């Protein structure tokens, strides 16, 4: 389950100063023999030469040249093993001794250096002048250091600098317990860095694309009046700030009276927090808690706001409930200036055997429509084990205008049938499987024509399929069977039983294949007529179906544009025979025309569903050629040409009086696609009617994408209009232009222009700018979307995104990624967008 992001503009996840340092117990402390007077006698030499886990030395001992230096002495924890007489140190009286060899320090060893070092053995030490304390990867620097061995405390004054790994703090004064990390830091300025997430396996970056921001180290800067270290991974800042901008240019920052960070629980808490941008406070929160990692946590999510002509000012405030690691809930209050207050709730859950989502939104009183309105959906997928699985998908809305009034997504505004279905499948039979489904729809009027066409309900639909290859003689057996009970409130109802057993004999080599197949399509109907019966209540139909599919693949080595390729030539021939049977007395429950394309011309039937099976005695031929990169296997160029030839006229129609084909040739299909230097892509497809000498459909598209976040696409679509009404939806002519491109410096433009050339009307328009300032990004986008034949929806998206701290405003990212091919997020963030109409259903 993808974790939610909470209050990201206060998510100062990289505020930590350091992790645990040092040994598990208090490390011992030793005074250098250089501070004890004369050099040790030969009898004491063994104690000096033995490496110790803790050392105090003057600064010169760290240099390789022979200079006054300190040697190690025995650990206090091992005093019984190697006794050294205690001695007092005369402060500020360095004594020269022979330099000791520099050896690798053991973990937990404390090293203190300075221009002048003095102290009392086993009690304390004072370093002055370029003073420094080091333990493991923790370093404390200052003009003066005072280390207290008994309490393991260090006090530093004068240009204090504390570093650990990628973290740095500076200030005038600091005192803390080194091992326990408890203490205070006065007026600190800090830089905190934490590594980004590792790259996912198989990640491929586009040309010009940098490593995504989520995979880069995130560095934060700031200052505070004081910092209280309250233990390992526990920090409290008083009157502090934080920003991911560069220290010399903090365009934005978080300011809080009190900021507490708990890295054990990965939770932060801010009191009196303010977000400041360009010197202006943008928001104030008296209290807020937030996660310090990608882990989910209950709390307020980033509010979003926008505006549109349908709802007015649009403000959403979500609250996230992290109920358990595998399920959660989000409650959102959405205020719409023109319509009122809406409540939305989303529940998600996932386990190894099932997962799902429940979504409900309710508007108690729409101030425009003067009624309550709602929408909801339930989705559940369940794996019961042993081959059993189930699914539920149920959705509904209060009224047909709900999507057009309250959504900004084109696929929702054009929705006419909302599914409501449940299914149960079994796939544990090895060579056979079965399923049962209940299906109905909530039908809405078409947004452009206003016509409402309600499909039949399937209550229920039962299927049984079987496939047994490699039977005796190399044959393959396939069975497709179905039982459906069709229900409708106003039209004829009935039940249909279908059995379609098939036998095929695949004959295949590396160069060619031939597959003859024969089957019998048997169907029986029990019909319940509305009103006066127009035929027998029982109907049956049995049709033998015979086909032969064959193809050959030729290959040769060639070159194009100075590069080597493999060129293929792949002819294919398909023959189909289906005898004619009168089907005019059989009701049409679910049959319609297939879309005519390269896949359909090799199909056994020109109709969908099972109520109409067209007679056929026809041959389909096609020729395909490809250019393939021999090193990668990538397809660079593909060209295809295909046509179907009829030996008999069509005699089976969808309904009485419907026109039927009489010509001997089907439409000619042609397609061409090419990818050049992976920056330029070209696609075109053409369907030509040789009977009437006109173009049925034509599509052409060009896309240029030389680098990440630089893409331009242009496409044109045409479909012939058979209707005498020039505005009939049967035909169209559309122009679609979209792109994202840098305009100047870090300023980008993004746009889409989708226009209906037949009606001279803009279907969808998008225009916006994006600016990447390094540590923040601005996005402003305007969208106009046709929702009905007479109405449009105009929306405005405004967003300020602060790198590493979330965003404010209404994000257009989901809308842009869906509608602008090749769109790239210019700051390469990965923060998920929460709370958008685009994500509904």
């Amino acid at each position: 389950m993808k974790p939610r992001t909470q209050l990201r503009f206060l998510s100062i996840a990289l505020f930590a100063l350091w992790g645990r340092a040092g040994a598990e117990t208090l490390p011992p402390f030793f005074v250098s023999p250089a501070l004890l007077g004369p050099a040790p006698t030969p009898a004491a030499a063994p104690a000096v030469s033995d490496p110790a886990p803790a050392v105090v030395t003057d600064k010169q001992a760290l240099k390789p040249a022979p200079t006054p230096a300190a040697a190690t002495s025995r650990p206090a924890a091992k005093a019984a093993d190697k006794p050294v007489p205690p001695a007092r140190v005369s402060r500020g009286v360095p004594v020269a001794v022979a330099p000791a060899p520099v050896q690798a320090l053991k973990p937990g060893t404390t090293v203190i250096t300075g221009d002048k070092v003095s102290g009392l053995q086993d009690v304390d030490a004072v370093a002055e002048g370029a003073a420094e304390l080091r333990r493991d990867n923790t370093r404390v620097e200052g003009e003066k250091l005072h280390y207290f061995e008994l309490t393991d405390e260090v006090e530093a004054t004068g240009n204090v600098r504390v570093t650990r790994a990628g973290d740095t703090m500076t200030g005038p004064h600091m005192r803390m317990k080194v091992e326990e990390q408890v203490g205070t830091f006065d007026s600190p300025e800090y830089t905190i860095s934490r590594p980004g997430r590792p790259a996912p396996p198989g990640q491929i970056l586009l040309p010009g694309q940098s490593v995504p921001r989520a995979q880069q180290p995130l560095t934060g800067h700031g200052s505070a009046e004081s910092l209280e270290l309250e233990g390992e991974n526990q920090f409290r800042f008083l009157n502090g700030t934080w920003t991911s901008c560069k220290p010399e240019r903090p365009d934005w920052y978080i300011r809080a009276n009190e900021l507490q960070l708990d890295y054990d629980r990965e939770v932060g808490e801010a009191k009196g927090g303010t977000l400041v941008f360009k010197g202006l406070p943008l928001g104030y929160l008296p209290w807020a808690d937030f996660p310090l990692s990608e882990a989910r946590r209950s709390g307020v999510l980033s509010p979003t706001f926008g505006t549109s002509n349908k709802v007015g000012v649009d403000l959403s405030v979500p609250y996230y409930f992290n109920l358990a690691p595998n399920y959660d809930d989000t409650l959102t209050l959405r205020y719409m200036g023109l319509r009122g207050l809406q409540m939305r709730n989303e529940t998600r859950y996932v386990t190894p055997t099932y997962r799902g989502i429940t979504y409900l939104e309710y508007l108690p009183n729409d101030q425009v429509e003067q009624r309550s309105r709602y929408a909801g959906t339930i989705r559940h997928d369940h794996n019961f084990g042993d081959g059993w699985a189930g699914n539920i998908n149920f959705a509904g809305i209060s009224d047909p205008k709900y999507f057009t009034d309250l959504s900004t997504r084109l696929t929702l505004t054009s929705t006419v049938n909302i599914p409501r279905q449940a299914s149960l499948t079994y796939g544990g039979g090895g060579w056979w499987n079965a399923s049962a489904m209940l299906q109905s729809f909530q039908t809405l009027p078409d947004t452009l024509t206003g016509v409402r066409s309600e499909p039949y309900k399937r209550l229920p639909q039962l299927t049984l399929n079987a496939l047994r290859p490699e039977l005796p003689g190399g044959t393959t057996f396939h069975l497709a069977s179905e039982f459906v009970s069709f229900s409708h409130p106003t039209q004829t109802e009935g039940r249909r039983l279908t059995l379609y057993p098939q036998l095929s004999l695949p004959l295949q080599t590396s160069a060619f294949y031939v597959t003859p197949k024969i089957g019998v399509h048997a169907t029986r109907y029990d019909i319940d007529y509305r009103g006066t019966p127009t035929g027998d209540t029982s109907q049956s139909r049995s049709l033998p179906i015979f086909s032969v599919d064959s193809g050959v693949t030729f290959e040769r080595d060639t070159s194009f544009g100075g590069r080597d390729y493999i060129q293929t030539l792949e002819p294919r021939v398909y023959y189909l025979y289906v005898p004619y049977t009168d089907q005019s007395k059989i009701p049409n429950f679910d049959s319609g025309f297939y879309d005519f394309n390269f896949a359909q011309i090799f199909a056994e039937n020109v109709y969908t569903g099972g109520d109409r099976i067209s007679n056929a005695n026809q041959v389909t031929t096609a020729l395909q050629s490809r250019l393939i990169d021999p090193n990668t296997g990538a397809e660079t160029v593909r060209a295809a040409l295909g046509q179907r030839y009829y030996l008999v006229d069509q005699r089976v129609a969808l309904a009485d009086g419907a026109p039927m084909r009489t010509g001997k040739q089907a439409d000619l299909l042609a397609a061409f696609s090419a990818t050049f230097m992976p920056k330029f892509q070209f696609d075109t497809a053409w369907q030509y009617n040789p009977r009437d000498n006109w173009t049925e459909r034509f599509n052409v598209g060009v896309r240029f994408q030389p680098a990440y976040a630089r893409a331009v696409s242009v496409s044109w679509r045409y479909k012939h209009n058979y209707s005498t009404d020039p505005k009939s939806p049967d035909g169209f002519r559309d122009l679609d232009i979209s792109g994202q491109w840098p305009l100047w410096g870090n300023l980008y433009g993004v746009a889409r222009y989708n226009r209906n050339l037949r009606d001279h009307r803009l279907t969808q328009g998008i225009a916006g700018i994006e600016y990447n300032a390094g540590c923040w990004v601005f996005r402003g986008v305007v969208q106009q979307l046709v929702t009905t034949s007479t109405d449009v929806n105009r929306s405005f998206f405004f967003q300020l995104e602060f790198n590493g701290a979330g965003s404010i405003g209404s994000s257009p990212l989901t809308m842009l990624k869906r509608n602008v091919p090749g769109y790239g997020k210019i700051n390469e963030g990965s923060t998920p967008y929460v709370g958008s109409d685009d994500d509904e259903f």
Side-chain angles (χ1 to χ4, degrees):
M1 180 179 296
K2 193 173 183 178
R4 294 282 188 168
T5 303
Q6 297 200 30
L7 203 57
R8 292 301 297 267
F9 72 90
L10 283 178
S11 181
I12 32 189
L14 302 181
F15 243 140
L17 297 180
W18 51 70
R20 183 173 177 84
E24 291 299 322
T25 59
L26 185 64
F29 168 74
F30 297 93
V31 176
S32 168
L35 303 177
L36 303 180
T41 62
V48 175
S49 62
D50 185 33
V55 178
V56 176
T57 178
D58 66 12
K59 188 172 183 179
Q60 301 299 325
L62 300 180
K63 297 182 180 180
T67 53
T72 61
S73 64
R74 57 101 177 112
K78 298 183 179 180
D81 298 334
K82 298 181 180 181
V84 174
R88 291 193 173 274
V89 178
S90 299
R91 299 185 181 274
V93 185
V95 179
V97 296
V102 177
Q103 304 183 37
L105 301 178
K106 293 183 178 181
T109 301
T110 301
V111 178
I112 298 177
T113 63
D115 294 337
K116 180 179 179 182
V117 179
S118 60
L120 185 63
Q121 183 181 12
D122 298 333
V123 177
D124 67 351
V126 176
E128 300 178 88
E132 179 184 77
L133 178 146
R134 288 188 297 116
R135 181 185 295 174
D136 299 329
N137 62 346
T138 299
R139 174 175 296 184
V140 180
E141 302 172 86
E143 296 178 1
K144 181 178 181 180
L145 294 180
H146 193 172
Y147 178 72
F148 304 90
E149 180 184 5
L150 297 180
T151 58
D152 192 35
E153 286 185 281
V154 59
E155 182 174 11
T157 56
N159 296 322
V160 179
R161 181 183 181 90
V162 178
T163 59
R164 182 176 179 86
D167 305 337
T168 302
M169 288 192 308
T170 60
H173 176 263
M174 181 276 300
R175 183 183 178 108
M176 73 171 182
K177 293 186 177 181
V178 181
E179 179 67 18
E180 297 180 9
Q181 298 183 20
V182 174
T184 60
F185 205 122
D186 297 337
S187 302
E189 295 184 357
Y190 61 88
T191 299
I192 308 298
S193 181
R194 289 294 181 271
R197 295 196 300 267
Q203 173 177 276
I204 299 177
L205 301 180
L206 297 175
Q209 180 181 6
S210 60
V211 176
R213 182 168 54 86
Q215 300 168 21
Q216 300 176 3
L218 180 57
T219 301
H221 310 272
S223 61
E225 286 188 4
S226 66
L227 166 63
E228 297 182 10
L229 306 174
E230 299 179 334
E232 184 179 3
N233 297 325
Q234 307 291 322
F235 310 96
R236 183 188 300 272
F237 291 88
L238 300 179
N239 293 327
T241 64
W242 183 87
T243 181
S244 63
C245 297
K246 295 181 179 180
E248 64 273 14
R249 187 183 173 185
D251 290 344
W252 69 268
Y253 57 89
I254 300 293
R255 181 175 60 208
N257 295 336
E258 183 177 334
L259 182 66
Q260 185 173 5
L261 307 178
D262 184 343
Y263 277 86
D264 291 328
R265 297 188 300 124
E266 296 184 335
V267 175
E269 180 179 313
K271 298 179 181 179
T274 304
L275 173 64
V276 180
F277 177 69
K278 292 292 186 179
L280 298 175
L282 296 184
Y284 173 76
L285 287 174
W287 175 88
D289 66 345
F290 47 90
L292 296 177
S293 68
E294 293 297 322
R296 298 175 292 120
R297 176 170 172 80
S298 299
V300 179
L301 303 180
S302 298
T304 63
F305 65 87
T307 181
S308 74
N309 65 317
K310 289 290 186 179
V311 302
V313 176
D314 193 350
L315 172 65
S316 296
V317 181
Y319 190 92
Y320 178 72
F321 298 91
N322 183 29
L323 304 177
N326 63 319
Y327 59 91
D328 58 20
D329 185 90
T330 304
L331 177 64
T332 303
L333 296 180
R334 179 189 182 191
Y335 174 75
M336 295 171 283
L338 298 180
R339 299 185 179 272
L341 183 64
Q342 181 190 66
M343 292 176 290
R344 300 191 300 195
N345 192 80
E346 180 186 61
T347 301
R348 306 181 304 169
Y349 55 91
V350 58
T351 73
T353 57
Y354 62 86
R355 65 175 58 210
I357 180 173
T358 300
Y359 186 93
L360 176 66
E361 56 185 31
Y362 178 67
L363 182 61
N365 181 27
D366 189 329
Q367 298 173 5
V368 176
E369 296 289 330
Q370 297 300 318
R371 58 175 170 170
S372 62
R373 310 180 76 179
Y374 63 84
T377 183
I378 298 175
R379 296 176 183 172
H380 179 85
D381 297 301
H382 204 120
N383 184 355
F384 299 101
D386 298 326
W388 291 92
N391 169 271
I392 296 176
N393 184 5
F394 186 93
I397 59 176
S398 59
D399 57 271
K401 295 178 58 180
Y402 189 91
F403 287 148
T404 58
D405 289 345
L406 302 178
S407 177
T408 58
R409 181 174 170 181
L410 180 61
T411 55
L412 291 183
T413 58
S414 59
T415 298
V416 295
N417 291 313
I418 303 175
R420 298 173 175 179
Q421 67 184 44
S423 65
L424 180 66
T425 62
Y426 177 73
W431 58 275
W432 65 273
N433 62 79
S435 68
M437 181 179 68
L438 302 174
Q439 183 186 63
S440 66
F441 300 90
Q442 180 182 4
T443 304
L444 310 177
D446 187 277
T447 57
L448 296 179
T449 64
V451 177
R452 178 173 178 173
S453 178
E454 183 173 353
Y456 276 89
K457 301 176 183 178
R458 301 169 184 260
L459 303 172
Q461 179 187 35
L462 308 176
T463 64
L464 175 64
N465 298 297
L467 179 63
R468 289 299 300 266
E470 300 180 358
L471 293 177
T475 60
T476 296
F477 171 75
H478 181 213
L479 172 66
S481 62
E482 177 191 53
F483 171 80
V484 189
S485 177
F486 293 100
S487 176
H488 198 282
T490 61
Q491 299 182 17
T492 297
E493 300 179 335
R495 291 154 296 284
R496 184 182 70 200
L497 175 63
T498 302
L499 296 175
Y500 184 21
Q502 308 158 59
L503 279 177
S504 62
L505 180 61
L507 304 174
Q508 186 172 358
T509 69
S510 59
F512 71 90
Y513 67 91
V514 177
T515 306
K517 185 176 73 170
I518 188 169
V520 177
H521 197 289
T523 313
R524 179 178 175 81
Y525 290 86
D526 292 323
I527 305 171
D528 299 328
Y529 291 100
R530 296 280 181 180
T532 303
T534 58
D536 295 336
T537 57
S538 295
Q539 297 282 345
S540 62
R541 177 191 61 197
S542 295
L543 284 171
I545 299 177
F546 174 74
S547 66
V548 179
D549 193 6
S550 62
V552 184
T553 300
F554 301 97
E555 293 184 357
R556 71 167 185 171
D557 295 330
T558 186
S559 61
F560 178 78
R563 298 181 61 182
D564 294 331
Y565 293 97
I566 297 175
Q567 183 184 9
T568 69
L569 188 64
E570 306 168 50
R572 181 181 178 184
V573 179
Y574 177 76
Y575 173 75
L576 174 67
Y577 175 77
V578 182
Y580 166 74
T581 296
D582 183 13
Q583 304 169 45
S584 60
K585 301 299 182 181
I586 297 176
N588 184 5
F589 295 124
D590 63 355
S591 283
F593 278 107
Y594 273 113
D595 181 46
F596 193 76
N597 52 43
F598 274 99
Q600 197 280 324
I601 62 175
F602 294 98
E604 295 179 348
N605 193 9
V606 297
Y607 298 122
T608 63
D611 296 319
R612 296 291 183 271
I613 300 178
S614 178
N615 63 299
N617 187 8
Q618 61 197 38
V619 177
T620 302
T621 61
L623 183 65
Q624 176 179 264
S625 182
R626 296 179 294 161
L627 286 180
I628 301 174
D629 189 324
N631 299 319
T632 64
E635 186 178 276
T636 303
V637 177
R638 175 194 290 263
L641 187 68
Q643 189 171 22
R644 179 188 290 165
Y645 299 91
Y646 302 104
L647 305 180
V648 296
D649 291 339
Q650 180 184 357
R651 301 178 61 187
V652 179
L654 280 177
D656 293 340
M660 292 183 288
R661 170 198 49 80
T662 58
K664 301 300 182 182
Q665 290 181 313
D667 294 347
L668 177 68
L669 295 177
F672 179 82
S673 63
T675 301
F676 302 104
M677 302 176 62
K679 299 179 180 180
F680 182 84
Q681 297 177 353
F682 176 82
D683 291 278
T684 185
W686 180 43
Q687 179 181 340
Y688 175 72
N689 182 344
R691 302 174 301 279
D692 301 308
N693 296 320
W694 64 47
T695 295
E696 292 284 348
R697 291 187 301 179
F698 181 74
N699 303 332
V700 61
V702 177
R703 178 175 169 183
F704 178 64
Q705 186 171 3
Y708 182 77
R710 290 168 169 83
V712 176
S713 301
V714 180
S715 64
W716 185 71
R717 302 187 308 148
Y718 167 82
K719 184 177 184 296
H720 181 76
N721 187 9
Y722 286 94
S723 175
T724 56
D725 181 4
K727 294 188 177 181
S728 169
D730 291 340
F732 55 78
R733 294 192 305 274
D734 288 347
L735 175 65
D736 195 347
I737 304 174
S738 64
Q740 179 189 24
W741 203 263
L743 303 177
W744 178 75
N746 294 325
L747 182 67
Y748 286 71
V750 59
R752 182 183 184 186
Y753 181 81
N754 184 275
R755 185 173 184 83
N756 186 331
L757 300 178
R758 185 194 63 188
D759 299 338
H760 306 287
R761 185 179 186 185
L762 183 67
T763 303
Q764 183 181 31
I766 298 173
I769 59 172
E770 301 176 288
Y771 180 73
N772 184 5
C775 64
W776 59 274
V777 174
F778 167 78
R779 297 182 179 93
V781 180
V782 178
Q783 177 188 223
Q784 176 173 308
L785 175 67
V786 173
T787 55
T788 69
S789 58
T790 59
D791 200 5
V792 297
N793 189 337
R794 297 183 181 90
S795 304
F796 176 70
F797 300 86
F798 165 86
Q799 184 189 38
L800 268 176
E801 181 177 354
F802 305 101
N803 291 352
S807 64
I808 62 174
S810 184
S811 173
L813 292 175
T814 302
M815 182 268 294
L816 292 175
K817 291 177 181 178
R818 181 182 296 115
N819 294 290
V820 181
Y823 174 81
K825 190 177 180 183
I826 59 176
N827 60 333
E828 273 295 315
S830 63
T831 302
Y833 174 53
V834 178
S836 168
D837 285 339
D838 293 342
D839 295 326
E840 298 168 9
F841 298 95

